[in-house]
Amino acid sequence: MRKTCLLLLTLLLGAGAAHAQVDSVRASTLPPDQQAEKLYNSGLAKFNQKSYRAAVLDFDKALAAKPDFARAYSNRAAARYELKDYQPAVQDYDQAIKLDPNSFTPYFGRARAEEALQQPTEAELDYGRATERQADYAPAWYYRGALRFEKADYAAAKADFDAAIKADATYAYAWHDRGSAQRQLGSLSAAIQDYSQALKLQPDLLPALLNRAGTRRRAGDLKGAIQDYNNYLTKKQDNALAYTNRGAARYEQADYKGAAEDFTRAVTLDAGYAFAWNNRAAAYLKLEDYKKADADASQAISLNKEYAEAYLNRGHAREMLRQPDAACQDWHRAADLGLAVGLTHAANSGCP
């Protein structure tokens, strides 16, 4: 945002000033437009110092001096946004747009406030208006792409991320989110390339590392996926999902002991993580520790009464523990919840 130079008022005293009468000195004031500029610049300085309430007061005064001051409306709106006063911010942006409809800034700002007000349709339209007025402003493309991604319009989201990257090839988040759109569209190799570029631009962008791991796993590159999970977990050890996903990759590599260890870390971090309890049950089944498998599947069911896969796994554990009636009940329950293979296991075991 362009700042306007401060206008300085200086009193110049002539050589004869010492002999002048006191009542001959006159006060000097700035014209309203110049006073508005001075207050506006003061508001900008306070905004940059994150003194948002003080900035709003200065912009108030600037607008009192100059009611058609579009930039003051726009910047007061920005300060109000930072204060989470979203509806007043929208109203200020409305005024800025009326006064200067060709500027992209108030459209972008209004879109951000509309997002905060849970108005995604309005926000998407305003991001579009911002791109029409400033096609090389990458954030407008990016934020509209994020909205389109959230409503599962992945092709449109990708197109917006393409435009954001064209406008700013160093925009790591745009590379990352385009990777996620590519992944949803089934272009796994392209997604991996985008995540890699995001990490090249911003090595500490850990979600890109985690998402590249998941995409590599989906593409069948278990070794690459596990390496990414390893790198992620050396930097962040408090993510139960990361341990669960690495455990799943290890399970697919037939490293059942390593998988069980990762699922254990996951449930230690999040005791309410039903998915991790069930996955550890599956690993214990492979390790032929049927009592632990039964206990873990039961814990998953206690957390989610409609967890079909957990009933299926508990059925397998109870079959091996010589509890045929309980196994049959679990397999039938899995089938009732939509897992048709439960009926197959029940039939093969002679369940009534």
Side-chain angles (χ1 to χ4, degrees), residues 111-192:
R112 297 287 287 139
E114 287 163 342
E115 271 204 81
L117 289 168
Q118 304 297 313
Q119 298 171 353
T121 301
E122 292 84 350
E124 185 177 340
L125 289 172
D126 272 342
Y127 286 133
R129 293 175 181 123
T131 64
E132 290 167 4
R133 288 159 177 79
Q134 189 80 22
D136 63 352
Y137 187 59
W141 294 106
Y142 171 78
Y143 282 109
R144 188 175 72 171
L147 281 175
R148 289 175 165 179
F149 185 95
E150 288 173 5
K151 66 178 186 179
D153 190 353
Y154 302 120
K158 178 188 175 298
D160 278 348
F161 297 138
D162 287 343
I165 290 166
K166 181 179 179 182
D168 181 1
T170 67
Y171 202 160
Y173 284 92
W175 285 99
H176 172 273
D177 286 13
R178 189 176 75 171
S180 295
Q182 304 260 39
R183 179 177 176 177
Q184 292 294 336
L185 292 167
S187 300
L188 302 185
S189 178
I192 290 167

Side-chain angles (χ1 to χ4, degrees), residues 319-341:
E319 179 186 38
M320 300 307 296
L321 290 169
R322 303 295 187 265
Q323 300 173 14
D325 291 343
C328 289
Q329 289 176 7
D330 280 343
W331 287 327
H332 280 302
R333 180 61 177 146
D336 291 341
L337 291 169
L339 204 57
V341 70

Side-chain angles (χ1 to χ4, degrees), residues 284-285 288-298 317 321 323:
Y284 282 144
L285 283 172
E288 300 182 2
D289 193 335
Y290 303 118
K291 287 185 178 179
K292 287 184 178 179
D294 185 348
D296 278 358
S298 295
L321 290 169
Q323 300 173 14

Side-chain angles (χ1 to χ4, degrees), residues 191-232:
I192 290 167
Q193 291 175 10
D194 279 351
Y195 290 136
S196 297
Q197 182 63 20
L199 287 163
K200 182 178 179 181
L201 291 166
Q202 192 171 327
D204 62 347
L205 188 58
L206 295 185
L209 193 57
L210 196 60
N211 284 327
R212 188 175 69 178
T215 308
R216 282 177 164 170
R217 178 184 160 212
R218 184 173 164 187
D221 180 10
L222 296 178
K223 182 179 179 181
I226 290 172
Q227 184 59 55
D228 277 347
Y229 287 129
N230 291 344
N231 290 339
Y232 178 91

Side-chain angles (χ1 to χ4, degrees), residues 65-120:
K66 186 179 179 182
D68 61 348
F69 199 167
R71 285 176 293 137
Y73 276 113
S74 192
N75 283 283
R76 187 173 70 176
R80 285 175 162 170
Y81 177 89
E82 295 296 337
L83 292 167
K84 299 186 180 353
D85 294 335
Y86 301 124
Q87 192 58 53
V90 168
Q91 292 167 357
D92 274 350
Y93 283 127
D94 290 344
Q95 285 299 115
I97 289 166
K98 286 180 183 178
L99 293 165
D100 186 8
N102 294 319
S103 174
F104 80 94
T105 304
Y107 286 105
F108 179 78
R110 188 169 70 178
R112 297 287 287 139
E114 287 163 342
E115 271 204 81
L117 289 168
Q118 304 297 313
Q119 298 171 353

Side-chain angles (χ1 to χ4, degrees), residues 14-34:
H19 302 289
Q21 296 295 320
V22 172
D23 61 0
S24 70
V25 177
R26 293 182 301 168
S28 177
T29 58
L30 289 172
D33 282 4
Q34 292 182 2

